[in-house]
Amino acid sequence: MKRHVAAVVAVLTLLLVVDSHVDWVSQDGGKLLEVNGQRFDLRGWAAEQTRAWQIDCNAVTTLPPESPTAQTILTAIQQHSLPDSRSARWLQLLQQDGWSVAEVAFDTLNPSLVVLHLQGHQWRVQDRAVWSGSTAPWHSGDLVRRYLREQAPGLPKALLGCVKVDPKRYGPGPGGLGPVSALGAQP
């Protein structure tokens, strides 16, 4: 067999093998890379990598749990969805201007990221801007940030970008990239 024919056959064979194992699948209005039944959110992963380089957290304040503002915000969260919200305790709290993003854990509820806005002199939970639960199969940081941005359009970009979204609490597998089976369960 001539060299160029062998090269063409090798390339075609490689393309057929890749095509039988790799595919782009649509889900929830987005695309996931599927490799042998495992789904990866490459777009979300790439967005998180670039966010880490672009975001400037200098204007964002991390509040200690014992600060008066933190106590006021925790009280607002604890009273928001009674009775289960009473057990809220801090995981993280960030603030910029009149906005805060709090991550809290509960005894009977999933951990949650809660957006609050200072209105008058009271911190108010933004009802629609609360994330709780798994992001599988999507990359946790990217999906949660996009969701919170849609639900609270006035939320400062730097504040939202500086929130740490833990893939162990919200994400679909190691590092938040995947893999996740085609059925949506973690391996």
Side-chain angles (χ1 to χ4, degrees), residues 24-33 40-44 138:
W24 288 100
V25 294
S26 295
Q27 184 172 328
D28 302 326
K31 294 278 186 184
L32 296 166
L33 177 65
F40 300 88
D41 180 12
L42 290 183
R43 182 211 162 278
W138 304 100

Side-chain angles (χ1 to χ4, degrees), residues 82-167:
L82 295 170
D84 294 322
S85 61
R86 277 192 204 133
S87 65
R89 58 193 177 281
W90 291 123
L91 296 173
Q92 68 175 311
L93 176 60
L94 300 171
Q95 181 182 7
Q96 183 181 3
D97 302 326
W99 291 89
S100 284
V101 177
E103 184 177 21
V104 290
F106 303 93
D107 291 342
T108 58
L109 302 172
N110 290 330
S112 300
L113 286 159
V114 181
V115 174
L116 298 102
H117 189 223
L118 188 60
Q119 296 171 322
H121 294 291
Q122 280 193 309
W123 285 100
R124 299 198 187 273
V125 172
Q126 303 301 290
D127 290 328
R128 296 174 46 134
V130 175
W131 181 272
S132 180
S134 174
T135 61
W138 304 100
H139 187 280
S140 55
D142 180 59
L143 181 67
V144 169
R145 283 187 185 83
R146 283 189 292 128
Y147 175 81
L148 294 177
R149 164 69 59 217
E150 289 171 8
Q151 301 306 316
L155 185 63
K157 184 177 181 179
L159 175 59
L160 187 56
C162 294
V163 171
K164 292 177 180 73
V165 180
D166 187 346

Side-chain angles (χ1 to χ4, degrees), residues 37-105:
Q38 300 295 307
R39 293 184 178 177
F40 300 88
D41 180 12
L42 290 183
R43 182 211 162 278
W45 178 83
E48 278 298 289
Q49 301 313 303
T50 58
R51 179 202 60 82
W53 296 335
Q54 297 172 344
I55 202 67
D56 179 10
C57 295
N58 288 328
V60 177
T61 304
T62 300
L63 296 175
E66 62 276 358
S67 76
T69 301
Q71 291 303 311
T72 302
I73 290 172
L74 183 61
T75 300
I77 293 169
Q78 289 172 332
Q79 294 175 353
H80 183 68
S81 181
L82 295 170
D84 294 322
S85 61
R86 277 192 204 133
S87 65
R89 58 193 177 281
W90 291 123
L91 296 173
Q92 68 175 311
L93 176 60
L94 300 171
Q95 181 182 7
Q96 183 181 3
D97 302 326
W99 291 89
S100 284
V101 177
E103 184 177 21
V104 290

Side-chain angles (χ1 to χ4, degrees), residues 4 10 36 52 65 115 136 158:
H4 70 281
N36 289 333
V115 174

